[in-house]
Amino acid sequence: MSVIKDVNTFHSTLKSIDQKIDTLNDQKIIAFFESLGLNEREDVPKDFLKWETILVVVPNRHVSNEIKPYKFSISRLFFVTNPYATQIHIFDFNEWRAVTRNKTQFQIREMLRTGFGGVKKIPSDSED
């Protein structure tokens, strides 16, 4: 005997509520990306809401610390700091996981130089 009187109705209600939560979270993600100006950039994929988890690559710890509080209030976001990036980028987290699987920390750091928003820094005369 089940404690819940009508399990099917209960599961249906939970599913409906979960769908509403997902919709609201998608709205949070869109608002967050708009506040970062990502919606105006051509290099940002427009289908990011289809991704299971969104990887947000930030260029330094200052930016990371500034947006860190939002990672707890918005689901489906994962943050990585890439010191070789010059701006914030987004990627499919599943792509990140596939590329970094079975890699050492050193290999990942080397990969970040040119991948996932990384741009190889070219020494200039002003950096003396």
Side-chain angles (χ1 to χ4, degrees):
M1 184 167 117
S2 177
V3 177
I4 299 172
K5 293 180 183 179
D6 188 354
V7 175
N8 291 334
T9 302
F10 178 63
H11 284 264
S12 174
T13 302
L14 287 180
K15 185 175 180 179
S16 173
I17 292 169
D18 283 342
Q19 288 173 339
K20 290 175 186 175
I21 290 171
D22 289 344
T23 300
L24 291 173
N25 192 66
D26 286 352
Q27 291 174 0
K28 283 182 175 182
I29 291 170
I30 291 169
F32 181 61
F33 288 172
E34 285 176 354
S35 72
L36 296 174
L38 296 177
N39 60 324
E40 300 166 0
R41 292 188 10 211
E42 294 294 321
D43 64 324
V44 175
K46 303 302 179 207
D47 63 344
F48 57 84
L49 288 177
K50 293 179 182 175
W51 301 338
E52 182 181 337
T53 303
I54 302 167
L55 174 69
V56 180
V57 177
V58 296
N60 56 53
R61 285 194 177 109
H62 173 72
V63 174
S64 180
N65 289 335
E66 189 175 333
I67 63 176
K68 184 183 269 186
Y70 303 108
K71 82 178 193 178
F72 301 112
S73 64
I74 304 173
S75 299
R76 296 180 43 216
L77 294 181
F78 186 85
F79 293 86
V80 169
T81 302
N82 183 354
Y84 303 104
T86 57
Q87 58 188 345
I88 296 173
H89 296 275
I90 64 170
F91 300 95
D92 184 349
F93 181 74
N94 289 335
E95 178 185 343
W96 165 262
R97 189 173 33 208
V99 170
T100 59
R101 184 174 288 129
N102 299 325
K103 298 262 192 286
T104 65
Q105 187 174 5
F106 176 76
Q107 290 171 321
I108 293 171
R109 196 173 324 130
E110 288 300 310
M111 180 198 61
L112 288 174
R113 289 183 189 269
T114 56
F116 292 95
V119 178
K120 229 176 196 102
K121 304 225 188 247
I122 301 171
S124 65
D125 294 335
S126 63
E127 293 181 9
D128 291 341

